[in-house]
Amino acid sequence: MSTSGPPLTERSPGRAFVASRGHARDAGRSRFEGAISRFLPRARPSADGHRLTVRNIYVLPTRQGLTMGLVMLVMLVCSISYGLALGYALTFLVLRSA
C-alpha cells in the first residue's frame, strides 16, 4: 500500500498512523522508556544534586539471599507437610539468625 508524501509521525484526525520501518523500533523503545519513567518517576536524581531519602533507596536481594529464602520456604513447607515440631523450630531459628 502506497501513500503519497512522507510517512506521518503523529496521529492526525481522519488519517491512519503510518510509520516507516526504521522508526518502529525507536518508537517502541521510547514508549517503553516513557512507561518506566511514569512508573518510577522518583528513580531519577534531581537536577540540584543527590539527596538520599526513603523514596530513592532501593534494597534488592542478592542471589544468595534469594537462595536462602527458597530453602527456608522448602523447609517450612516440609515441616508443615510432615507435622515436624523440630522442623518448625529449626526453620524459624535459622530465619531469626539471618
Side-chain angles (χ1 to χ4, degrees), residues 3-87:
T3 60
S4 61
L8 299 175
T9 57
E10 61 185 55
R11 292 180 188 257
S12 57
R15 296 189 68 190
F17 179 73
V18 178
S20 66
R21 289 182 187 165
H23 299 293
R25 183 177 294 159
D26 294 336
R29 183 176 295 147
S30 65
R31 188 178 309 144
F32 180 71
E33 289 172 355
I36 288 178
S37 68
R38 283 190 303 274
F39 183 68
L40 296 172
R42 296 180 187 108
R44 289 178 274 146
S46 60
D48 60 325
H50 299 287
R51 180 175 294 170
L52 294 178
T53 63
V54 174
R55 293 178 182 233
N56 61 5
I57 296 177
Y58 301 100
V59 179
L60 301 174
T62 61
R63 183 178 293 178
Q64 292 85 6
L66 289 173
T67 303
M68 181 165 178
L70 181 66
V71 168
M72 292 296 106
L73 183 66
V74 168
M75 285 176 62
L76 182 63
V77 168
C78 290
S79 298
I80 291 170
S81 177
Y82 291 109
L84 300 174
L86 287 176

